[in-house]
Amino acid sequence: MTSIVKPRIDKHLRRNQLGLTVRDYEGVMSTLCAGCGHDSVTAAFVQAFHEMNLEPHRAAKVSGIGCSSKTTAYFLGQSSGINSVHGRMPSVATGAAAVNPDLYYIGVSGDGDSLSIGIGQFAHAIRRNLNMLYCIENNGVYGLTKGQFSASADIGTKAKYGEVNEQPPIDPVLLALSLGATFVARGFSGDKKQLVPLMKAALAHKGFALIDIVSPCVTFNDHKGSTKSYAHTYEYYHPVIHADFVPEEAEITAEYQDGGAITVPMHHGGNVTLRKLGRDYDPRDRDQAFHLLRTREGSEVLTGLLYIDETKPDMGDMNRLPDEPLNVMDYSKLCPGSAKLAEVMKGYS
Amino acid sequence: MTSIVKPRIDKHLRRNQLGLTVRDYEGVMSTLCAGCGHDSVTAAFVQAFHEMNLEPHRAAKVSGIGCSSKTTAYFLGQSSGINSVHGRMPSVATGAAAVNPDLYYIGVSGDGDSLSIGIGQFAHAIRRNLNMLYCIENNGVYGLTKGQFSASADIGTKAKYGEVNEQPPIDPVLLALSLGATFVARGFSGDKKQLVPLMKAALAHKGFALIDIVSPCVTFNDHKGSTKSYAHTYEYYHPVIHADFVPEEAEITAEYQDGGAITVPMHHGGNVTLRKLGRDYDPRDRDQAFHLLRTREGSEVLTGLLYIDETKPDMGDMNRLPDEPLNVMDYSKLCPGSAKLAEVMKGYS
Amino acid sequence: MNAVTGTSARTRVNDFVIKIANVNGTGSASANGLLMKAIFRMGIPVVGKNLFPSNIQGLPTWYEIRVTGDGWTGRSGEVDIMVAMNLESYARDLKDVSPGGVLIYDSTWPRPSLLSRDDVTVLGIPLARMCNENFANARTRVLMKNMAYVGVVAALTGVDMAVIQTLVEEMFGAKPKLIPPNMQAVEMGYNYAKEHFTQPLAFKLEALDKTSDCIMIDGNTAAALGCVYAGASFGAWYPITPSTSLMDGFKSFCEQLRVDPETGKNNYCIIQAEDELSAIGMVIGASWNGARAFTPTSGPGISLMSEFIGFAYYSEVPAVLFDVQRVGPSTGMPTRTQQGDILLAAYASHGDTKHIVLFPANPKECFDFAVEAFDLAERFQTPVFVLSDLDIGMNDWMTPKLEWDDSRRPDRGKVYHAADLEKIEKFYRYLDVDGDGIPYRTIPGEHPKGAYFTRGSGHTKYGGYTEDSAAYQDVLDRILQKWKNAATKVPGPEIVRCGKPTRIAILTVGGCDGAAKEAIARLNAEDDLDIDYLRVRAFPFHPEIENFIANYDTVFVLEQNRDAQLRTLLVTETTARKDQLVSILDYAGMPANPHLIVDRVREHIASQG
Amino acid sequence: MNAVTGTSARTRVNDFVIKIANVNGTGSASANGLLMKAIFRMGIPVVGKNLFPSNIQGLPTWYEIRVTGDGWTGRSGEVDIMVAMNLESYARDLKDVSPGGVLIYDSTWPRPSLLSRDDVTVLGIPLARMCNENFANARTRVLMKNMAYVGVVAALTGVDMAVIQTLVEEMFGAKPKLIPPNMQAVEMGYNYAKEHFTQPLAFKLEALDKTSDCIMIDGNTAAALGCVYAGASFGAWYPITPSTSLMDGFKSFCEQLRVDPETGKNNYCIIQAEDELSAIGMVIGASWNGARAFTPTSGPGISLMSEFIGFAYYSEVPAVLFDVQRVGPSTGMPTRTQQGDILLAAYASHGDTKHIVLFPANPKECFDFAVEAFDLAERFQTPVFVLSDLDIGMNDWMTPKLEWDDSRRPDRGKVYHAADLEKIEKFYRYLDVDGDGIPYRTIPGEHPKGAYFTRGSGHTKYGGYTEDSAAYQDVLDRILQKWKNAATKVPGPEIVRCGKPTRIAILTVGGCDGAAKEAIARLNAEDDLDIDYLRVRAFPFHPEIENFIANYDTVFVLEQNRDAQLRTLLVTETTARKDQLVSILDYAGMPANPHLIVDRVREHIASQG
Ligand SMILES: Cc1ncc(C[n+]2csc(CCOP(=O)(O)OP(=O)(O)O)c2C)c(N)n1
Ligand SMILES: Cc1ncc(C[n+]2csc(CCOP(=O)(O)OP(=O)(O)O)c2C)c(N)n1
Ligand code: SF4
Ligand code: SF4
Ligand SMILES: [Mg+2]
Ligand SMILES: [Mg+2]
């Protein structure tokens, strides 16, 4: 509710390089259910942006419709945002990013929004390697319309009122991989320690960065029998690769050098470090990513940065966009003038 | 053109078990360009249906919009057909199949129709394991709208007028596999010998049977530099598994027993036999299918039946549809009558 | 002990409004429904409106119960008893109470001292404290607070506790363990009120016998039953408020009434589509194949279905669409009501398209028109819209019991079955054999001779593809003729004449019905105006509508949208003169109430001198 | 040797129609264009209509060249010289020739003997044989046959061969090797005709000087140029006939005029979207971010965009949509023309929505209105439609040269940039600061103070989420007011008064312009009728339109759709009386011609006694 003013007690909060505290990265008060996973994701966003020293107004928030999509109002209150129509956020983001590639595009969607009505736009945004951070707050249900199965519900999942899902789920991670996505990760709203660094790495990525976040719906899909519940996710949770962004100026610390960290230099500067957790797995190898995912099917919730490719051209490159964003380009560069028109007219005389 | 009457010289044509010749499986005259791959696919359909002894009026043809989608008028002239709107054939097929699972649903689509505007419906028809034969006549372009790149155009493909595609292609075969499709094949309009048996096997499959058919567009995408041209396809063409349908009554002949053929018993009777061509590969193993596809990427056009799973419930099973199709079910079974209504009313008094 | 001191002198019996302000997600809806049902069971007519937010938990929500011994069916617009359970909306809630009214609040915590009104009786009851003392579990405490205020209201207005007991027993039939604590909570509130408030309220209930032939049902549930009885065997949908409960209803009735007892198989198929484009595509596929099929949705869904709607129109495939309207444009206010899709439904899709639209006014008509819609869709081989709205669809209305005539058979329209096909020489799908604009269709797969090809591209009357002007136009003209012919086959208008000669009428549509009738009565009683009444029930307009309009100088057209959409249709599709039709527009999202109508009529009449 | 014997006594100079019947995919369009251009270069006004099938190769296609020394801009409807190259359509083609006309056919093969008419001169020329004898390659033979009939027509009507030579040279500028064989083919036909046909035809060309300030251009190309000059930097689209060439044009102009010469980077971005829903979403995203953005499409695309159009309307994001209309409903006839999306464009999307629509009548207006559309969209912060059609968009029209005023600057509407934001205390997105209904917007990312949240759900004038009736209605009412205020800012109507007092007028829209004006001239000349003329150029209707209508008893409303959509808008949105507005509907898919108009006017006048 915008009508509720949040208390601001931020005197003792840590300030980042811009002199801002986490409060400066918050938005209006959440209207989600108490305990909703999405609120934890919002908190992770706030922390990640703060740690990344993002100038709030240099971000643009895009979303569709759903409880998840509502959350863009709950963080980055000093950024512009657009809450579009159901399932069509990627297209809005595409147009926005095309004319101003300099902003950070933060997309928030739900499993209904991205995998049912919006799967086409989701797929094609991946194909264009649209430079954005795209989070699916995945709870296996349609929260806002009160608990229908979504396309990510696993076979055998029980709905709150007893129905059992028989259709195979669409796994956004596998789908994104098969569509050639360049940054594919999975997180869990319950593990901010993993999620925040993932978000930072995704922000640093040039291209489409997907984070599929298991984010339980406490109201409609957190009961026994739901594979997207907190309990189930904790039980089968398996972090594979820890990824974090290390800014240019910072040294890669010992923490990362342990366990044979891999360093991926990022296009816009800085590095993403990758630390293996338990498996021998290189997320720069698409074959291995496929292999890992198809062998895990159903048995584990694999999380972490599962695949990264920093070498691919993004949408801006493929469209040879100029350095000066089109949205502020002076009219003199856009209008060829009367003399040119007269020349063009010759071809039609 | 429906106005052109085809000459019918069918005296000496072979008759199938129903006493029908291939002529009985043809439709109106094609209006496609001379040499269009789609016409060869039409011819393969005619042969496959004839060989399968399909009663023509027991098939229902569904399609979207495009040169490819037009072809449902060019075969099975004695079947009903519905040429719907662009990209939305799967939904029409879903509704039709739900109320009468007894017909054979033959869907024809294009790469534009299925992978751009229609990718959402395509994905969800797979997820529902809709019982149909779904062919994508894949030419890498929008034929009917005169040659724009489609989403299946490979990176580096040159358009007729010079433009080079930079976006990664969507491979319907990989996509279908990652969405859990139960019958995934690739064919080539130029190889009827492979295609006809594939179509027969697909018809026998209970569930969603995808055949992605490379079907060159001679007018807009058959030049040098196009990876969907005849020349390119012939060069990189690689049949992996030969599949054919063998009716119940027939014996598995020696031809199939050579080379270690695998026999898959089909739900509605008969068997599909799988013969390996050159590679050690079992198309009943989804892992292997993924592995093969991701390692081939770009270098070969792998064809044949790449994956089959005859054990999964189809849409009818998942919805517990009755044996008697809903479209002919007597009203007495549908209307509960006044006494039941009076009972129901009690709950609202 | 507080003494109740009403500022109103006279006691109002069976004619007042109770409004409950709460926080959503606290389970208040079922307590509120219980209270309303109890009054209904006392034989007193009621009108209930649930005003809920587009959110799952934590935002303000209201429930209005109008007690109307006279049996009005609209919202009153007044608030006589306010149960103000939500601190956040407390100030507004207090403001909304009509002078002389009562406000009940939870006195566990001090109430904002500044907020108070001299003309309102304020009663505090420590509901939370009582619940905390009596119940252990946190969720139970929240739920029981709701039951407790039911008890308070029961005590103050005179709800029969025996009726409440019965209702609680019915409510928890499946979980009888829950009956005692719930009754305990009700009684707690009841006893507290009885003990602490001595003087009677100005608002009293007295049992009547006016509801025994009636039920309380919402329009979506009634429409769902209509689909079952119409013999619809296929439904596809994508969830969207406020249409979701229609498919939920269909599903649960089918599970109850349509599962084959022997095989356990379903004599129906419901598919949750991936979006609305797909839902309507499935309906078209199923209809094309000969089943009765429908999809429920709301405005955004209709926008998304537009392309397919034009396809069904032009290729003449039956389809039934329920549009349970909500406030637009765009996402708008998904939990508020409006009649903003009238024009869209009438002309949906690009190119020349005109559709059949039915406008139910209450749950009973939702049932009847659902049944009717399938007949019309198949008879005219075209999409048919049932245009309901959130108010009709999601609120419980008192309505006569739904009945079924077992001799009724569906009108499947013109279908050549196998036997018919045997008899004719050749079948052409789009031929106007009977001269009524309606061609014959066949069921795919039924007979070789019936095979045909359906397309949304240009076709001749024989069904072949064409780009020929005359052949194209021939088919398009016939389709228009067919639509025009439907005018006398759709439900005619409801007309209520005041019985005296008059030059003024009110014309309306859908759920404005009750408010309009009440306004007419008030204008008659207070202003001595004689006003006739017509309610449009379908499009194309029945000829009676234009005949009716012709008799008046002024026809007030009351509708719930900004742009006078019904008036636009009347002007376009009837002989009515524009100067006859005076708009009354009420589009702020609330169910219609008579105040605005009365005011507008008075203003207009005054302006005319 | 055949002797040409015209049945018509007098020779018609610069006033006849040549129609070429061919098979598509044979390259005839460029030969036909060449012939038309040659006549145009002779200073003689022409009207060209390409009537092509929805197919790539093998179906009948026609090309009509109307030679009109008087400079009429519509189709004539007559055929004086038919070049019948397609055996399949031969019978129809012969039938279509006007009495006294000429038919030219390929006499290589015998022509169907039964088909012949006494009142038509039939000339056979062995085109295929000559080509086979002179050219080796199969494709070349086909192409050269086309050039050969150009030569035949040139010889028979008097096209200047020097002009043809120049045009062929221009045509194959990039491939000069192709010039000689093409000229050889033309001359082959020319010489054959000169040698074999002695008597002159009744139809003759004589050079004039009426085209030197003009160009031949199609509306899509002109609109594309308009987008370039308006400073549009973003376009998204999904291919659909007949709008595809608009984006093709924009792309090639941008490649030519908008690539930075230093960096090689594009000062534009064009995205081929995966469908129309995505295309409009991208346009909205780009516009929201402050760029000028557009999408070209046709009817099915508008249907699919409906949901997003309502979003842009309600959240007040500018967007420019070109709807190049084709024949509906549904897929309809994609290569035929119609004005069937007028109502859809005016009110697209669910809920209460009203849009700004511009109606160009020719390529010049496509250019002008494209430029105008961006100004209006940004000024009023709303979607603006440019409603063209296949006839305007894809046919080459003679039109005055397009010109550009270098002092013209785009009107970006009300935007608070960084400096403005520094000055104000707080920015609210939807506040009516100036009382004109138009709020200020900001460019996301430009300044911290300008940040705001855009949504399609209920919002207050401050931009916050709301479910409050009054706050919602406040915004919705302002948006309507804003739209109404646009009426005087959109292009006003074109009005042509006959100069005499009269009670009759013709009112029309778009490409019917030429046919209407010609019909008025004919009705004046032949029936002595005085008729005034108005052409609507935009919606909301400029007040001049209703003032104009008020002066007549009868205003014929001419439009190309079945359902009188423009008339519906006039009745709904002006004070016009219904009995004043008499529809003339021409919706069979062909560009308008004066015959039907003349007939209908006569019929109506006769029916009035
Ligand atoms: C066109 C359209 N159809 C349907 C809806 C109703 N609707 C709103 S949100 C939603 C699903 C949301 O599910 P998800 O994206 O998973 O978000 P969650 O609420 O679970 O976070 C639906 C169906 C809508 N807003 N628009
Ligand atoms: C809604 C809509 N948008 C666009 C079109 C135009 N259109 C017709 S076919 C087609 C693409 C066809 O491509 P594909 O499916 O690959 O078929 P092909 O012609 O290549 O066989 C398009 C864009 C349409 N008919 N409908
Ligand atoms: S309904 Fe579910 S997803 Fe929505 S806010 Fe509540 S817990 Fe979260
Ligand atoms: S354009 Fe291409 S796809 Fe279409 S008919 Fe011709 S060859 Fe086939
Ligand atoms: Mg969800
Ligand atoms: Mg294609």
Side-chain angles (χ1 to χ4, degrees), chain A residues 1 31 33-34 65 70 86 116-117 142-145 148-149 163, chain C residues 54-57 59 238-239 244 251 272 274-277 304 331:
Chain A
M1 287 293 300
T31 61
C33 304
I65 301 284
K70 281 184 180 184
H86 193 30
S116 289
I117 191 167
Y142 294 179
L144 192 54
T145 52
Q148 299 83 12
F149 283 128
E163 205 178 342
Chain C
S54 176
N55 147 289
I56 305 301
Q57 189 194 93
L59 289 186
Y238 187 69
T244 299
K251 189 162 186 221
Q272 183 182 316
E274 58 274 25
D275 61 16
E276 287 88 347
L277 292 97
L304 288 171
T331 301

Short mmCIF file of all heavy atoms in Angstrom, two decimals, chain A residues 1 31 33-34 65 70 86 116-117 142-145 148-149 163, chain C residues 54-57 59 238-239 244 251 272 274-277 304 331:
data_model
loop_
_atom_site.label_atom_id
_atom_site.label_comp_id
_atom_site.label_asym_id
_atom_site.label_seq_id
_atom_site.Cartn_x
_atom_site.Cartn_y
_atom_site.Cartn_z
N MET A 1 0.84 -1.21 0.00
CA MET A 1 0.00 0.00 0.00
C MET A 1 0.87 1.26 0.00
O MET A 1 1.65 1.49 0.91
CB MET A 1 -0.87 0.02 1.25
CG MET A 1 -2.00 -0.97 1.22
SD MET A 1 -3.23 -0.57 -0.03
CE MET A 1 -3.74 1.06 0.51
N THR A 31 2.58 -5.82 -0.31
CA THR A 31 1.21 -6.24 0.02
C THR A 31 1.05 -7.75 -0.14
O THR A 31 -0.06 -8.25 -0.28
CB THR A 31 0.17 -5.52 -0.85
OG1 THR A 31 0.42 -5.85 -2.22
CG2 THR A 31 0.22 -4.02 -0.68
N CYS A 33 1.47 -11.84 0.97
CA CYS A 33 1.15 -12.57 2.20
C CYS A 33 2.40 -12.64 3.09
O CYS A 33 3.52 -12.77 2.58
CB CYS A 33 0.74 -14.00 1.88
SG CYS A 33 -0.65 -14.12 0.75
N ALA A 34 2.17 -12.62 4.35
CA ALA A 34 3.29 -12.77 5.28
C ALA A 34 3.96 -14.12 5.02
O ALA A 34 3.29 -15.14 4.96
CB ALA A 34 2.77 -12.70 6.71
N ILE A 65 2.29 -9.63 -14.79
CA ILE A 65 1.21 -9.61 -13.81
C ILE A 65 1.27 -10.88 -12.97
O ILE A 65 1.49 -11.96 -13.50
CB ILE A 65 -0.18 -9.52 -14.50
CG1 ILE A 65 -0.30 -8.27 -15.37
CG2 ILE A 65 -1.31 -9.56 -13.47
CD1 ILE A 65 -0.51 -6.97 -14.65
N LYS A 70 4.22 -8.06 -9.02
CA LYS A 70 3.94 -6.88 -8.21
C LYS A 70 5.18 -6.37 -7.49
O LYS A 70 5.24 -5.21 -7.10
CB LYS A 70 2.91 -7.24 -7.11
CG LYS A 70 1.48 -7.30 -7.58
CD LYS A 70 0.57 -7.56 -6.36
CE LYS A 70 -0.88 -7.63 -6.78
NZ LYS A 70 -1.77 -7.79 -5.61
N HIS A 86 0.06 -9.31 -18.59
CA HIS A 86 0.43 -10.66 -18.18
C HIS A 86 1.25 -11.38 -19.26
O HIS A 86 0.79 -11.57 -20.37
CB HIS A 86 -0.85 -11.42 -17.86
CG HIS A 86 -0.65 -12.72 -17.14
ND1 HIS A 86 0.40 -12.97 -16.28
CD2 HIS A 86 -1.40 -13.86 -17.14
CE1 HIS A 86 0.29 -14.18 -15.79
NE2 HIS A 86 -0.78 -14.75 -16.30
N SER A 116 3.68 -19.96 -19.01
CA SER A 116 2.41 -20.24 -19.67
C SER A 116 2.18 -19.15 -20.70
O SER A 116 2.73 -19.20 -21.80
CB SER A 116 1.26 -20.28 -18.67
OG SER A 116 1.36 -21.44 -17.89
N ILE A 117 1.47 -18.14 -20.34
CA ILE A 117 1.08 -17.09 -21.29
C ILE A 117 2.31 -16.43 -21.92
O ILE A 117 2.28 -16.02 -23.06
CB ILE A 117 0.16 -16.06 -20.59
CG1 ILE A 117 -0.48 -15.12 -21.59
CG2 ILE A 117 0.89 -15.29 -19.51
CD1 ILE A 117 -1.63 -14.29 -21.00
N TYR A 142 -0.18 -20.38 -9.72
CA TYR A 142 -0.64 -19.03 -9.95
C TYR A 142 -1.07 -18.49 -8.59
O TYR A 142 -2.15 -18.83 -8.10
CB TYR A 142 -1.85 -19.00 -10.88
CG TYR A 142 -1.59 -19.47 -12.29
CD1 TYR A 142 -2.61 -19.51 -13.23
CD2 TYR A 142 -0.31 -19.83 -12.72
CE1 TYR A 142 -2.39 -19.92 -14.52
CE2 TYR A 142 -0.07 -20.24 -14.01
CZ TYR A 142 -1.12 -20.29 -14.91
OH TYR A 142 -0.89 -20.69 -16.20
N GLY A 143 -0.21 -17.69 -7.98
CA GLY A 143 -0.56 -17.16 -6.66
C GLY A 143 -1.74 -16.20 -6.75
O GLY A 143 -2.77 -16.41 -6.11
N LEU A 144 -1.60 -15.20 -7.57
CA LEU A 144 -2.58 -14.11 -7.58
C LEU A 144 -4.00 -14.58 -7.92
O LEU A 144 -4.97 -14.01 -7.47
CB LEU A 144 -2.14 -13.00 -8.55
CG LEU A 144 -2.89 -11.67 -8.46
CD1 LEU A 144 -2.88 -11.10 -7.06
CD2 LEU A 144 -2.30 -10.66 -9.43
N THR A 145 -4.12 -15.61 -8.76
CA THR A 145 -5.46 -16.10 -9.07
C THR A 145 -5.84 -17.29 -8.18
O THR A 145 -6.74 -18.05 -8.51
CB THR A 145 -5.61 -16.45 -10.56
OG1 THR A 145 -4.55 -17.33 -10.93
CG2 THR A 145 -5.53 -15.20 -11.41
N GLN A 148 -4.05 -22.17 -8.88
CA GLN A 148 -4.05 -23.18 -9.94
C GLN A 148 -2.61 -23.64 -10.19
O GLN A 148 -1.66 -22.89 -10.01
CB GLN A 148 -4.62 -22.59 -11.25
CG GLN A 148 -6.05 -22.11 -11.17
CD GLN A 148 -6.17 -20.71 -10.60
OE1 GLN A 148 -5.18 -20.00 -10.45
NE2 GLN A 148 -7.38 -20.31 -10.25
N PHE A 149 -2.46 -24.87 -10.68
CA PHE A 149 -1.14 -25.35 -11.07
C PHE A 149 -0.55 -24.47 -12.16
O PHE A 149 -1.25 -24.06 -13.09
CB PHE A 149 -1.23 -26.76 -11.66
CG PHE A 149 -1.40 -27.84 -10.64
CD1 PHE A 149 -2.43 -28.76 -10.75
CD2 PHE A 149 -0.51 -27.94 -9.57
CE1 PHE A 149 -2.59 -29.77 -9.81
CE2 PHE A 149 -0.67 -28.95 -8.63
CZ PHE A 149 -1.71 -29.86 -8.75
N GLU A 163 -5.94 -31.98 -5.73
CA GLU A 163 -5.68 -32.38 -7.10
C GLU A 163 -4.20 -32.71 -7.31
O GLU A 163 -3.34 -32.08 -6.72
CB GLU A 163 -6.07 -31.21 -8.03
CG GLU A 163 -6.44 -31.63 -9.43
CD GLU A 163 -6.84 -30.40 -10.23
OE1 GLU A 163 -7.14 -29.36 -9.60
OE2 GLU A 163 -6.83 -30.47 -11.46
N SER C 54 -7.64 -6.63 -4.85
CA SER C 54 -6.91 -7.51 -5.75
C SER C 54 -5.61 -7.90 -5.08
O SER C 54 -4.53 -7.41 -5.43
CB SER C 54 -6.64 -6.79 -7.07
OG SER C 54 -5.86 -7.61 -7.91
N ASN C 55 -5.72 -8.78 -4.14
CA ASN C 55 -4.56 -9.14 -3.33
C ASN C 55 -4.99 -10.34 -2.50
O ASN C 55 -6.17 -10.62 -2.37
CB ASN C 55 -4.17 -7.91 -2.47
CG ASN C 55 -3.60 -8.25 -1.13
OD1 ASN C 55 -4.32 -8.71 -0.24
ND2 ASN C 55 -2.33 -8.01 -0.94
N ILE C 56 -4.04 -11.06 -1.95
CA ILE C 56 -4.39 -12.31 -1.27
C ILE C 56 -4.55 -12.10 0.23
O ILE C 56 -5.38 -12.72 0.85
CB ILE C 56 -3.32 -13.39 -1.56
CG1 ILE C 56 -3.13 -13.56 -3.07
CG2 ILE C 56 -3.67 -14.72 -0.92
CD1 ILE C 56 -4.38 -13.95 -3.85
N GLN C 57 -3.77 -11.21 0.79
CA GLN C 57 -3.78 -11.10 2.25
C GLN C 57 -3.30 -9.72 2.68
O GLN C 57 -2.30 -9.23 2.19
CB GLN C 57 -2.81 -12.15 2.80
CG GLN C 57 -2.84 -12.33 4.28
CD GLN C 57 -1.62 -13.14 4.72
OE1 GLN C 57 -0.59 -12.58 5.08
NE2 GLN C 57 -1.73 -14.46 4.68
N LEU C 59 -4.91 -6.56 2.80
CA LEU C 59 -5.50 -5.28 2.38
C LEU C 59 -6.95 -5.18 2.86
O LEU C 59 -7.59 -6.18 3.17
CB LEU C 59 -5.41 -5.13 0.87
CG LEU C 59 -4.00 -4.88 0.30
CD1 LEU C 59 -4.06 -4.61 -1.19
CD2 LEU C 59 -3.34 -3.71 1.02
N TYR C 238 -8.32 -19.88 -19.01
CA TYR C 238 -7.10 -19.42 -18.36
C TYR C 238 -7.57 -18.59 -17.17
O TYR C 238 -8.44 -17.72 -17.34
CB TYR C 238 -6.25 -18.58 -19.33
CG TYR C 238 -4.91 -18.23 -18.77
CD1 TYR C 238 -3.95 -19.21 -18.59
CD2 TYR C 238 -4.61 -16.93 -18.39
CE1 TYR C 238 -2.71 -18.91 -18.04
CE2 TYR C 238 -3.37 -16.62 -17.85
CZ TYR C 238 -2.42 -17.61 -17.67
OH TYR C 238 -1.20 -17.31 -17.13
N PRO C 239 -7.03 -18.86 -15.99
CA PRO C 239 -7.57 -18.19 -14.80
C PRO C 239 -7.53 -16.67 -14.90
O PRO C 239 -6.51 -16.10 -15.29
CB PRO C 239 -6.63 -18.66 -13.67
CG PRO C 239 -5.98 -19.90 -14.18
CD PRO C 239 -5.91 -19.75 -15.66
N THR C 244 -12.88 -16.81 -12.73
CA THR C 244 -12.32 -18.10 -12.31
C THR C 244 -13.34 -19.02 -11.66
O THR C 244 -13.38 -20.22 -11.92
CB THR C 244 -11.13 -17.85 -11.36
OG1 THR C 244 -10.15 -17.11 -12.08
CG2 THR C 244 -10.51 -19.12 -10.87
N LYS C 251 -16.27 -27.38 -12.87
CA LYS C 251 -15.48 -28.54 -12.52
C LYS C 251 -16.10 -29.31 -11.37
O LYS C 251 -16.25 -30.52 -11.42
CB LYS C 251 -14.08 -28.07 -12.15
CG LYS C 251 -13.14 -29.20 -11.99
CD LYS C 251 -11.70 -28.75 -12.07
CE LYS C 251 -10.82 -29.97 -12.05
NZ LYS C 251 -9.64 -29.77 -11.22
N GLN C 272 -7.09 -26.42 -18.57
CA GLN C 272 -6.51 -25.13 -18.20
C GLN C 272 -5.48 -24.80 -19.27
O GLN C 272 -4.43 -25.42 -19.36
CB GLN C 272 -5.87 -25.21 -16.82
CG GLN C 272 -5.32 -23.86 -16.35
CD GLN C 272 -4.63 -23.95 -14.99
OE1 GLN C 272 -5.14 -24.58 -14.06
NE2 GLN C 272 -3.48 -23.32 -14.88
N GLU C 274 -2.82 -22.48 -21.65
CA GLU C 274 -1.63 -21.70 -21.29
C GLU C 274 -1.90 -20.21 -21.39
O GLU C 274 -1.14 -19.39 -20.86
CB GLU C 274 -0.43 -22.09 -22.16
CG GLU C 274 -0.62 -21.94 -23.65
CD GLU C 274 -1.26 -23.17 -24.30
OE1 GLU C 274 -1.98 -23.91 -23.60
OE2 GLU C 274 -1.06 -23.36 -25.51
N ASP C 275 -2.95 -19.82 -22.06
CA ASP C 275 -3.37 -18.42 -22.08
C ASP C 275 -4.75 -18.35 -22.75
O ASP C 275 -5.30 -19.39 -23.13
CB ASP C 275 -2.36 -17.50 -22.78
CG ASP C 275 -2.13 -17.86 -24.24
OD1 ASP C 275 -2.94 -18.61 -24.83
OD2 ASP C 275 -1.12 -17.40 -24.80
N GLU C 276 -5.28 -17.16 -22.90
CA GLU C 276 -6.62 -17.02 -23.43
C GLU C 276 -6.69 -17.31 -24.93
O GLU C 276 -7.70 -17.76 -25.44
CB GLU C 276 -7.17 -15.63 -23.15
CG GLU C 276 -7.53 -15.39 -21.69
CD GLU C 276 -6.37 -14.90 -20.86
OE1 GLU C 276 -5.21 -14.96 -21.34
OE2 GLU C 276 -6.61 -14.45 -19.72
N LEU C 277 -5.62 -17.00 -25.65
CA LEU C 277 -5.61 -17.29 -27.09
C LEU C 277 -5.78 -18.79 -27.29
O LEU C 277 -6.49 -19.24 -28.20
CB LEU C 277 -4.29 -16.84 -27.72
CG LEU C 277 -4.07 -15.34 -27.77
CD1 LEU C 277 -3.22 -14.88 -26.62
CD2 LEU C 277 -3.45 -14.90 -29.08
N LEU C 304 -7.48 -10.56 -25.93
CA LEU C 304 -6.53 -11.53 -26.47
C LEU C 304 -7.20 -12.52 -27.42
O LEU C 304 -6.56 -13.07 -28.30
CB LEU C 304 -5.85 -12.29 -25.32
CG LEU C 304 -4.84 -11.47 -24.52
CD1 LEU C 304 -4.39 -12.24 -23.29
CD2 LEU C 304 -3.63 -11.12 -25.38
N THR C 331 -5.46 -3.68 -17.08
CA THR C 331 -5.66 -4.50 -15.88
C THR C 331 -6.72 -3.88 -14.99
O THR C 331 -7.50 -4.57 -14.34
CB THR C 331 -4.32 -4.66 -15.11
OG1 THR C 331 -3.38 -5.26 -16.01
CG2 THR C 331 -4.48 -5.50 -13.88
#
